[in-house]
Amino acid sequence: MTTRANIVVIGGGLAGMSAALEALHQTRNAVGVSVALLEKEARTGGNSAKASSGINGVLTRTQKAQGVADSVKAFARDTERSGHGRSNETLVHKLTEDSTAAVTWLQKEFGLDLDVLAQLGGHSAPRTHRRPEVGGKPQPVGWSIVSALAERLGAFARDGSGRFRLETGARVTQLLKASDGGVAGAEYETANGARHRVQADVVVLATGGFAGEGARPEFLRQFAPQLAGLASTNGAFATGDGLRLASALGAALVDMDQVQVHPTGFVAAADPANPTKFLAAEALRGEGGILLDAQGARFVDELDTRDRVTAAIFHHCATPDTCARHNSTTSGQGPSAAAFLVLPQAAADRFGLGSLGFYAKMGLVSRADGVDDLAAALRVDAKVLRKTLDAYDTARSTSGQSDAYGKSVFPEAVAAAEAYFWGVVTPVIHYCMGGLRFDVRTRVLRAADGAPIRGLLAAGEVTGGLHGVNRLAGNSLLECVVYGREAGRQASMEVEAL
Ligand SMILES: Cc1cc2nc3c(=O)[nH]c(=O)nc-3n(C[C@H](O)[C@H](O)[C@H](O)COP(=O)(O)OP(=O)(O)OC[C@H]3O[C@@H](n4cnc5c(N)ncnc54)[C@H](O)[C@@H]3O)c2cc1C
Ligand SMILES: *[C@@H]1O[C@H](CO)[C@@H](O)[C@H](O)[C@H]1NC(C)=O
């Protein structure tokens, strides 16, 4: 069957939903402009639904209420530093400058209380927003955001105007080429194997990254073969489809070898070798969690950027003596490099006991009563552990200075907690910095001459060039909202100009 829509958005994660909503909003006064959203899974949400640490923004109501001094400039500097100078400055400028509007959009337009702030690795101020627990119940940030947007889209789909349609179970297999070399729509396959076509004026690619390729790595094998064998946090749908679709039309790929390894994926005691791992949210360290090797010693600034913390775990926790493991884990079954993540009670309170309870129920986190109990659980020498924790608190009380590992932000004291929460963590494939080369108006650029491919836009993890060689925590949800909405604006402009 062949249908028609002015704008087709491919991928129902945060970038795709933001694009669809913005396009609907922009064209609300234009009669007959239609938007179709195609999602290959049975439900929308993608990896966006899994996000647990938060979304970045400066000069937000939350920062103001908490008296945080911050600026677009400081945020842009942190982002560029984290990307080791490889980020496109124009793209970073828009990301950071539009961050206030992005968080405000979620707060005002969707009533999301993004009122908890954390200072995560590589940030010079607390600017990563997430939701407070409600009555002890966790309100995971990614899930909350995509649910709110999906609800709004659902209302559009049901409003009888025919302006919006969502099709799930619709896997796009090809982009239709127009005679001028631009894009004329998409071809997709439904669950029962039927093939359909939708003709369109503009196509927005929002298919996410390829960090979920799993057992059949293609992009990973080609661009980052050194990561073979590492577990991933991503859903199995993250297979880089959009990169293939756009490459077939001559799109340029950039920084494809830059795949982020997140330092802390949870190793489950009962299933240490599982290739898919639950993420130990960066906010666990942001709120005061520390990392220890199997001897009970620290080895890194827990709030350094992800690439550095990952490198430290590989470097310091990869021998039988230093690799952390669960008591119950038979040797050889878990990952070859792992650390203990330990939160004192105060950090646990700040992170949210409801969310920790969720991790505990999954068998990822355990509780220990006091230092001796913790030492026994980790099977480390209690004297060594006590020394480690005391040294941390001493450094913490020497304000303004950094400790032996370069740590200068110490959220909570660790030595005298009445209880500790701990788990085993290992580096995991997490995010693709690289992807389609795009410009600040979200136009996908051609490899041959750098010119935009007419009618083809992209936003979210499918794009590359914004994060350089290391994405800063909380910048991905932000890019989905900023560039997703930009794609919606650009698409509606292109349609209305026809
Ligand atoms: C566990 C976890 C925690 C994270 N935590 C954070 C965090 O706290 N803060 C932060 O900023 N970032 C975080 N990230 C990163 C961030 O969530 C993602 O990078 C971001 O949400 C990607 O959004 P997206 O819309 O580009 O892609 P996705 O949300 O992955 O959506 C892409 C969608 O496209 C669909 N699709 C793919 N191919 C096709 C096709 N051929 N046809 C039709 N549909 C297709 C997929 O099924 C999917 O639903 C986290 C990631 C993970 C995995
Ligand atoms: C950054 O992106 C802009 C377009 O948004 C482009 O004009 C510029 O050339 C890019 N810079 C680099 C260094 O690639």
Side-chain angles (χ1 to χ4, degrees):
M1 197 172 63
T2 299
T3 53
R4 209 194 124 67
N6 295 103
I7 299 165
V8 168
V9 180
I10 306 173
L14 182 55
M17 289 201 271
S18 299
L21 280 168
E22 190 64 31
L24 288 164
H25 182 72
Q26 293 288 328
T27 59
R28 65 195 177 284
N29 298 322
V31 181
V33 174
S34 59
V35 179
L37 175 58
L38 304 177
E39 164 57 53
K40 70 176 172 181
E41 296 291 295
R43 338 159 135 250
T44 53
N47 279 322
S48 305
K50 296 172 168 233
S52 48
S53 281
I55 176 166
N56 297 333
V58 296
L59 312 176
T60 61
R61 77 163 190 224
T62 312
Q63 276 198 333
K64 282 182 191 147
Q66 299 187 17
V68 174
D70 202 358
S71 66
V72 170
K73 216 171 169 179
F75 183 18
R77 194 181 51 226
D78 291 348
T79 299
E80 273 159 18
R81 221 175 251 170
S82 175
H84 296 272
R86 276 265 291 271
S87 325
N88 179 306
E89 277 178 36
T90 315
L91 297 174
V92 171
H93 182 76
K94 180 176 177 63
L95 179 84
T96 51
E97 187 159 82
D98 287 4
S99 69
T100 317
V103 172
T104 304
W105 187 63
L106 296 173
Q107 290 182 320
K108 282 215 170 132
E109 189 70 24
F110 299 95
L112 291 159
D113 54 353
L114 297 164
D115 287 332
V116 180
L117 275 183
Q119 180 168 350
L120 302 187
H123 288 276
S124 59
R127 62 168 81 97
T128 308
H129 299 63
R130 64 179 199 276
R131 299 194 59 202
E133 294 187 347
V134 176
K137 247 191 96 191
Q139 308 292 326
V141 61
W143 175 254
S144 298
I145 294 174
V146 296
S147 301
L149 271 62
E151 199 180 303
R152 184 68 55 89
L153 283 171
F156 273 111
R158 289 186 304 270
D159 74 1
S161 70
R163 291 188 62 210
F164 176 68
R165 111 183 129 91
L166 165 67
E167 198 164 335
T168 52
R171 187 172 64 88
V172 174
T173 50
Q174 203 187 325
L175 298 179
L176 305 178
K177 202 167 168 172
S179 50
D180 67 353
V183 174
E187 188 166 295
Y188 62 99
E189 203 174 285
T190 50
N192 61 10
R195 290 187 167 279
H196 301 276
R197 289 184 155 204
V198 54
Q199 293 170 337
D201 302 319
V202 183
V203 169
V204 179
L205 283 171
T207 47
F210 55 89
E213 283 188 318
R216 270 177 294 158
E218 289 178 30
F219 286 117
L220 284 171
R221 177 176 297 143
Q222 186 183 348
F223 292 103
Q226 76 282 7
L227 303 183
L230 278 192
S232 169
T233 58
N234 278 216
F237 46 78
T239 44
D241 297 12
L243 305 173
R244 271 183 214 98
L245 295 171
S247 294
L249 289 180
L253 300 176
V254 56
D255 292 340
M256 287 290 286
D257 55 338
Q258 299 303 323
V259 176
Q260 182 165 72
V261 177
H262 194 294
T264 63
F266 274 124
V267 179
D271 192 9
N274 196 318
T276 301
K277 301 234 181 294
F278 257 96
L279 182 70
E282 175 138 349
L284 288 161
R285 283 173 286 129
E287 300 292 19
I290 60 169
L291 294 171
L292 304 177
D293 66 13
Q295 301 292 322
R298 280 182 66 233
F299 55 90
V300 71
D301 167 11
E302 289 83 356
L303 292 180
D304 207 335
T305 49
R306 288 180 177 173
D307 53 344
R308 296 224 178 86
V309 179
T310 292
I313 294 176
F314 280 133
H315 189 73
H316 285 274
C317 308
T319 70
D321 284 347
T322 55
C323 178
R325 61 180 62 82
H326 291 282
N327 218 335
S328 55
T329 307
T330 14
S331 60
Q333 276 209 345
S336 57
F340 291 118
L341 173 62
V342 176
L343 275 78
Q345 180 77 52
D349 290 339
R350 283 169 54 143
F351 179 75
L353 293 176
S355 306
L356 272 175
F358 170 78
Y359 292 141
K361 218 185 274 167
M362 305 284 302
L364 307 171
V365 161
S366 308
R367 195 190 129 109
D369 295 306
V371 177
D372 289 325
D373 199 20
L374 178 64
L378 307 187
R379 288 175 305 161
V380 304
D381 186 334
K383 278 204 295 279
V384 173
L385 181 59
R386 221 174 274 283
K387 219 174 124 193
T388 300
L389 301 181
D390 285 339
Y392 183 92
D393 286 356
T394 305
R396 181 172 185 268
S397 60
T398 326
S399 74
Q401 284 175 29
S402 41
D403 72 359
Y405 309 100
K407 188 162 182 157
S408 57
V409 176
F410 299 85
E412 294 293 344
V414 295
E418 68 185 87
Y420 295 91
F421 294 81
W422 68 274
V424 175
V425 293
T426 188
V428 275
I429 299 174
H430 185 58
Y431 179 85
C432 300
M433 269 76 70
L436 298 175
R437 189 183 282 280
F438 75 130
D439 71 7
V440 75
R441 290 162 65 186
T442 72
R443 300 180 300 185
V444 175
L445 306 178
R446 209 185 301 276
D449 56 3
I453 298 175
R454 192 198 48 75
L456 188 60
L457 309 177
E461 195 172 339
V462 73
T463 63
L466 168 62
H467 305 290
V469 303
N470 183 61
R471 174 177 67 86
L472 203 52
N475 264 356
S476 180
L477 291 180
L478 178 62
E479 86 172 305
C480 289
V481 175
V482 167
Y483 284 104
R485 291 183 73 196
E486 182 61 33
R489 275 191 287 272
Q490 179 69 25
S492 58
M493 263 173 47
E494 291 187 14
V495 168
E496 295 195 83
L498 285 174

